[in-house]
Amino acid sequence: MIAKLQCVVLDCADVLELARFYQSLLGGVLNQPDPRWALGEGWATLHTDTKLVLAFQRVEEHRPPRWPDPARPQQFHLDLGVTDLDQAQEEVLKLGATLLDVGDAKRSWRIYADPAGHPFCLVRD
């Protein structure tokens, strides 16, 4: 095992509206303090009772998916927790991932694409 799932991030126009919708469906705590994420106008979280964390990221001019229309596909990415970013990067690149954004030395995450082009982040635990 290289990583563990930290949260699922959904792009949307209104982060609180979507977070409240999922809270109504799943229960849990909105915007619970968590050192892994900074909360703000463009980001909200839902920590569910089952320990699943959903995060909601504001996207300007968000175009919602129209499943199953391939011109407007589903939109989300995975944040995967790792203890060593460099080691995990080496392993995911060997598996066929592509590095999209390494960030700077201060940032605790890096962005990759899976072999099909879907983005995901490796995030230092």
Side-chain angles (χ1 to χ4, degrees):
M1 182 173 94
I2 296 171
K4 63 182 179 182
L5 181 64
Q6 285 191 341
C7 74
V8 176
V9 181
L10 293 93
D11 289 352
C12 59
D14 186 327
V15 297
L16 285 177
E17 177 183 56
L18 195 56
R20 288 181 181 125
F21 170 81
Y22 279 99
Q23 182 184 37
S24 296
L25 290 176
L26 303 171
V29 179
L30 286 180
N31 292 333
Q32 174 178 309
D34 188 317
R36 296 175 291 182
W37 302 289
L39 301 172
E41 290 184 27
W43 182 266
T45 60
L46 174 64
H47 287 70
T48 69
D49 297 340
T50 63
K51 307 296 182 208
L52 170 69
V53 179
L54 294 177
F56 307 90
Q57 178 174 265
R58 182 182 328 280
V59 172
E60 294 298 322
E61 299 181 30
H62 178 257
R63 294 180 60 204
R66 283 192 209 150
W67 186 88
D69 181 355
R72 299 272 295 272
Q74 298 178 56
Q75 301 167 4
F76 77 97
H77 73 266
L78 301 174
D79 282 355
L80 305 171
V82 299
T83 54
D84 184 323
L85 275 173
D86 293 328
Q87 179 182 354
Q89 175 172 306
E90 183 179 319
E91 293 181 43
V92 299
L93 293 176
K94 285 180 186 176
L95 291 173
T98 303
L99 179 62
L100 299 178
D101 183 357
V102 71
D104 60 31
K106 295 178 184 177
R107 201 168 80 182
S108 64
W109 73 92
R110 297 178 188 160
I111 305 168
Y112 304 84
D114 68 18
H118 302 110
F120 67 93
C121 298
L122 293 179
V123 181
R124 188 179 311 112
D125 269 343

